[in-house]
Amino acid sequence: MNALTEIKDRFSQSLSGLVDDPSQLLALIRPAGNPEHGDYQANCAMPLGKKLGKPPREVAGELVEAIKLDDFCQSVEIAGPGFINLKLDNDWIKQRLNAALTDERLGVAKVADPRTYVIDYSSPNVAKPMHVGHIRSTVIGDALTKVLRFVGHQAISDNHLGDWGTQFGMIIYGYKNFVNEEAYQSSPVNELGRLYKYVRQLMDYHAAAKNLPLKLEELETAQALLNKLESEPEPTDKSEKKKAKKAIKRGADKVKDLTETIYGHLNEETGNLVGGLKQNIAKVESSPQAKSDAEAHPEIGTAVQAETAKLHEGDPENKMLWEEFLPSCLADIQRIYDRLDIQFDHVLGESFYHDELANVVNDLEAKGFTQVSDAAVCIFLENYETPMIVQKCDGAYLYSTTDLATIKYRMEQWSADACLYVVDFRQSEHFAKLFEVASKWGYNESELTHVSFGTVLGDDGKPFKTRSGDTVNLERLLDEAEARALMVAREQNAELPSERHQEISSIVGIGALKYADLSQNRSSDYKFSYEKMLATKGNTATYLQYAYARVQGIVRKTEADMEAIRANPVEFVFDQPIERQLGVKLIQFGEALDEVLVDYKPNILCNYLHELAQLFAQFFSQCSVKDAGSEALKISRLQMCDLTARTIKTGLEVLGIKVLDKM
RNA sequence: GCCCCCGUAGCUCAGCUGGAUAGAGCAACUGACUUCUAAUCAGUAGGUCGCAGGUUCGAAUCCUGCCGGGGGUGCCA
């Protein structure tokens, strides 16, 4: 039992006599924001005072009177309007530290009611190279899986691959028409990647050629309208003036949007125009080969759709090609997962559910949830303008259908109590509808949560879109992270052999990359920058790894036998204030883990670990272990070091980050 | 049009089920390596928490309006 739950338990008994549901008041008990106020503060007397119509300070006094705290609190004080400030008893802290020291789980109890979670994350479209946008889902999902497991839940990780969509129609079409057999033989992945891009390019070309006149016309109209609005005299009426201003702004926005659609937008870093219909056309026209291919395949868009449909209908040739291509595509993404050290329990992609889709729709129809609208099978929901479409007018199924089949499978096969979807925020409406339909359909016992995260933005603050043409390839980003870490490792540790440098740079580089993502609140948008993702100074994984390595240095230099000390621990000594501070932080590890799971936010654990490492760095500079003065203090400090190191190691491990003994 | 998210230090971000003087990191400046790893530590400086109202003992946090940015919006995923 950690300190926070201990305190809450005791308050709970007294509070439940006063209010119906004490949980809201219990949430107001938290670690003190300011060390001067003690270790924990209970802020429940103020709202309670209002409710009971008594002065809050009086209520606080009665609470303190009624609740037994003196066996583990050194002092209980009432401050300000009615804050109850608790300071933990040193002996109690030391006891907890000793318990953690001798426990493999660092004193963190397993949950009493383990649940089965399915975590759906990463889910890339195979056949497209992974880019920086994929890392968020992958890293956050992996961390949540590991935190859930550590606290005692069953967590099933499932990579719901996009392995059945239009991109395979594109590759199949590309293979049938444009394959370079020699290149395919020597490196299937590269050639398939080339074909994907090539077909995409030709499709974009035709789409652009078709849309350009239309868009140019729209732009002209919009511009004319804008000119007209701007030339009109300003209305004198206040609200009219406002309206006119708004209309001008809307007009200007439209002109800007259309201009970007047609001409592309400026990439500030390179100074080039990217995206845009004109670019799409120019790209093809600048290559004679591409131009003649484009002319020879005017209906490439519909042809690709047809290849996709044939695949879905079980056409033997396309099915065979799909089966041939898939392993290469999987091997390609697997290489990245290996480097990131990420494993999945299951990799059940969209293709896995294909045979079930008709049943799903039939069942929904039979239960009377569906309605045919414009020849598509739809489910209409309250509070949503648009329905969820489960079957297109041409009979094809959509990802909504697959998602429903997936929920069914996960509930029936795995008896999931909760299913977490670690997916981009932009799909929140899709998931809101999906969950509502699933609940209607009968899956209303389990928790379905969209663990959404912000968009990856480019340096210009604009969303990082694939079509902008300048995505950062994920694998090259990994290379860069390791390369930068390697430079520092060589500088710092010239005496080590070069294979050690390689190992260090891999662990430091990948750790930095993961931490950069995890330490940020997942719901915020993510501004991509090399600087941030590759940093090894400040609040980074490197800082935590470094703290760990320093402990190992101390153990080496003092020639301490940690095994023996753990087997026969001494009482902790708080010689310096920092030792008590570090001790309190150490016994709060379990609280941090609990808090991560309240809202599925790994950044809370990062914050905790960073604070812990900061305290350790202070301890390190203030408290010598080797020259502690007395043997008792030396052993106590060794114990403190050991516990810190193991907490950092475990904390990083559940975030998917490794540590090093030397760096 | 409708719906959702965001706006906090020069930069990148924490903090948001209301709590005590708004916190980190980077960048800047000052100081600390014959010492258990300086990938570090100590310190200085930097803020009308987009703006205006409201709710109350108390608002970065909740409500309303406005300004600015982004996203979504029936057969893509």
Side-chain angles (χ1 to χ4, degrees):
Chain A
M1 171 116 27
N2 60 48
L4 188 59
T5 41
E6 181 86 52
I7 296 168
K8 283 187 179 179
D9 264 18
R10 308 217 179 174
F11 271 77
S12 177
Q13 289 173 17
S14 288
L15 288 173
S16 56
L18 297 169
V19 291
D20 296 336
D21 179 19
S23 66
Q24 286 200 336
L25 293 173
L26 290 174
L28 298 175
I29 303 172
R30 53 189 64 159
N34 184 336
E36 282 174 27
H37 301 141
D39 300 311
Y40 289 86
Q41 54 178 307
N43 303 341
C44 37
M46 281 87 81
L48 195 55
K50 183 174 279 181
K51 188 161 185 161
L52 303 175
K54 285 194 214 170
R57 279 192 77 105
E58 196 177 301
V59 175
E62 286 169 15
L63 278 174
V64 168
E65 207 49 40
I67 299 169
K68 181 177 166 60
L69 293 162
D70 61 348
D71 55 330
F72 73 107
C73 286
Q74 178 189 311
S75 70
V76 179
E77 280 167 8
I78 298 166
F83 296 105
I84 302 171
N85 291 334
L86 306 170
K87 189 162 185 191
L88 295 175
D89 180 60
N90 282 354
D91 287 334
W92 191 82
I93 298 169
K94 290 172 186 176
Q95 250 178 48
R96 303 304 311 161
L97 285 171
N98 259 308
L101 181 74
T102 53
D103 179 9
E104 271 188 11
R105 296 180 50 78
L106 302 161
V108 179
K110 290 203 177 194
V111 287
D113 51 343
R115 306 211 295 165
T116 299
Y117 286 82
V118 175
I119 302 97
D120 180 321
Y121 63 99
S122 198
S123 315
N125 267 334
V126 299
K128 291 188 204 173
M130 281 173 95
H131 61 89
V132 63
H134 289 111
I135 202 168
R136 291 208 90 176
S137 172
T138 308
V139 164
I140 294 170
D142 184 55
L144 290 176
T145 303
K146 287 174 171 152
V147 173
L148 285 166
R149 282 185 189 146
F150 184 79
V151 304
H153 294 292
Q154 194 196 352
I156 301 171
S157 57
D158 185 12
N159 190 358
H160 191 70
L161 290 179
D163 60 357
W164 197 243
T166 314
Q167 74 272 27
F168 272 94
M170 289 162 70
I171 296 182
I172 289 171
Y173 188 84
Y175 183 82
K176 287 181 178 173
N177 291 284
F178 311 116
V179 71
N180 175 336
E181 199 51 54
E182 210 175 298
Y184 181 70
Q185 289 306 328
S186 71
S187 168
V189 186
N190 284 343
E191 178 60 6
L192 291 177
R194 183 190 73 85
L195 288 171
Y196 172 80
K197 274 189 226 156
Y198 194 56
V199 171
R200 161 109 268 162
Q201 211 178 64
L202 298 184
M203 285 169 71
D204 285 349
Y205 170 80
H206 284 297
K210 192 176 153 204
N211 279 325
L212 187 59
L214 229 86
K215 290 288 170 191
L216 282 170
E217 204 176 303
E218 273 182 48
L219 178 60
E220 209 174 304
T221 320
Q223 186 66 59
L225 181 68
L226 180 61
N227 291 344
K228 183 167 163 272
L229 287 172
E230 280 176 337
S231 65
E232 273 170 11
E234 222 174 58
T236 42
D237 181 72
K238 213 174 173 187
S239 80
E240 287 299 316
K241 195 171 161 183
K242 213 167 167 184
K243 256 189 211 165
K245 217 172 142 190
K246 210 165 185 177
I248 289 178
K249 193 185 170 306
R250 255 205 308 272
D253 280 353
K254 187 154 190 194
V255 167
K256 194 173 157 230
D257 275 4
L258 284 166
T259 310
E260 285 198 357
T261 309
I262 294 166
Y263 300 100
H265 71 269
L266 196 68
N267 180 310
E268 283 172 15
E269 207 166 85
T270 59
N272 294 329
L273 281 171
V274 292
L277 302 177
K278 290 257 188 196
Q279 308 286 325
N280 290 349
I281 292 172
K283 253 187 252 162
V284 166
E285 289 191 336
S286 66
S287 150
Q289 179 67 52
K291 186 149 198 288
S292 81
D293 281 339
E295 277 161 10
H297 299 263
E299 297 300 324
I300 189 166
T302 36
V304 162
Q305 283 308 324
E307 294 294 358
T308 313
K310 272 166 74 183
L311 171 66
H312 290 181
E313 282 154 18
D315 173 74
E317 190 192 4
N318 281 12
K319 191 77 196 287
M320 193 197 77
L321 286 174
W322 179 79
E323 276 163 7
E324 186 181 324
F325 296 155
L326 193 61
S328 324
C329 297
L330 291 180
D332 202 43
I333 59 171
Q334 189 56 45
R335 202 173 55 241
I336 291 182
Y337 289 139
D338 287 345
R339 288 182 70 180
L340 289 172
D341 189 34
I342 282 172
Q343 297 87 26
F344 297 92
D345 297 322
H346 300 278
V347 183
L348 302 178
E350 291 170 343
S351 62
F352 179 80
Y353 298 98
H354 182 251
D355 295 338
E356 269 301 306
L357 302 183
N359 293 336
V360 168
V361 174
N362 287 340
D363 194 40
L364 290 166
E365 276 172 343
K367 292 195 164 116
F369 300 141
T370 61
Q371 214 174 308
V372 176
S373 167
D374 292 338
V377 182
C378 303
I379 299 172
F380 286 89
L381 298 163
E382 279 178 59
N383 307 325
Y384 293 98
E385 256 184 87
T386 56
M388 166 169 265
I389 300 178
V390 291
Q391 190 171 18
K392 297 204 278 187
C393 57
D394 65 359
Y397 301 105
L398 294 102
Y399 76 130
S400 315
T401 329
T402 312
D403 278 349
L404 285 168
T406 307
I407 289 178
K408 182 173 173 343
Y409 182 86
R410 289 173 178 166
M411 297 305 165
E412 288 176 2
Q413 295 297 311
W414 298 331
S415 310
D417 298 305
C419 192
L420 310 183
Y421 293 83
V422 187
V423 180
D424 191 311
F425 150 79
R426 285 177 283 188
Q427 292 189 40
S428 43
E429 190 173 319
H430 162 70
F431 281 109
K433 286 182 185 169
L434 176 70
F435 297 161
E436 209 172 307
V437 170
S439 166
K440 253 176 123 160
W441 198 24
Y443 300 105
N444 49 5
E445 303 275 294
S446 303
E447 172 192 344
L448 295 170
T449 301
H450 178 202
V451 179
S452 69
F453 54 82
T455 313
V456 178
L457 305 175
D459 287 323
D460 52 0
K462 295 222 162 170
F464 217 100
K465 284 179 184 163
T466 326
R467 68 168 122 97
S468 67
D470 61 345
T471 51
V472 175
N473 179 285
L474 185 49
E475 190 149 36
R476 273 205 290 282
L477 182 61
L478 301 187
D479 292 342
E480 184 68 25
E482 293 187 359
R484 291 207 191 184
L486 183 60
M487 269 168 46
V488 186
R490 283 197 181 127
E491 235 170 73
Q492 294 291 325
N493 263 311
E495 77 285 358
L496 290 174
S498 77
E499 62 268 23
R500 284 282 293 150
H501 288 146
Q502 292 294 339
E503 189 202 349
I504 292 171
S505 65
S506 159
I507 290 176
V508 169
I510 301 295
L513 207 60
K514 288 185 175 183
Y515 191 89
D517 230 313
L518 293 167
S519 61
Q520 196 154 333
N521 184 328
R522 62 174 169 78
S523 62
S524 316
D525 280 349
Y526 187 110
K527 198 163 193 172
F528 175 80
S529 93
Y530 277 104
E531 179 96 347
K532 183 165 65 187
M533 300 212 73
L534 308 176
T536 58
K537 285 165 73 179
N539 183 2
T540 61
T542 314
Y543 182 79
L544 308 181
Q545 289 164 328
Y546 184 65
Y548 180 86
R550 282 173 134 186
V551 170
Q552 304 315 311
I554 293 174
V555 174
R556 269 195 306 276
K557 284 282 164 62
T558 54
E559 297 179 357
D561 181 353
M562 281 321 304
E563 289 290 330
I565 292 173
R566 275 179 226 141
N568 196 10
V570 302
E571 188 178 330
F572 280 84
V573 181
F574 296 154
D575 183 61
Q576 299 293 316
I578 185 68
E579 296 183 84
R580 184 184 186 279
Q581 275 180 270
L582 181 57
V584 170
K585 192 51 109 177
L586 282 166
I587 62 173
Q588 290 172 336
F589 182 45
E591 293 172 23
L593 293 170
D594 287 348
E595 230 185 305
V596 167
L597 295 179
V598 170
D599 267 325
Y600 307 116
K601 283 162 73 170
N603 68 309
I604 290 175
L605 181 55
C606 293
N607 288 347
Y608 168 81
L609 292 173
H610 182 239
E611 282 162 15
L612 174 65
Q614 274 184 318
L615 290 174
F616 175 75
Q618 288 175 44
F619 166 86
F620 182 87
S621 62
Q622 292 172 29
C623 304
S624 174
V625 176
K626 210 171 60 185
D627 306 315
S630 75
E631 189 64 12
L633 187 54
K634 181 176 166 185
I635 303 292
S636 166
R637 286 180 175 172
L638 276 168
Q639 291 179 167
M640 199 74 95
C641 286
D642 182 57
L643 201 49
T644 304
R646 285 163 56 206
T647 304
I648 288 174
K649 181 173 190 233
T650 308
L652 283 177
E653 251 165 26
V654 297
L655 294 173
I657 299 170
K658 294 181 188 164
V659 293
L660 291 150
D661 286 351
K662 258 187 188 174
M663 59 186 278

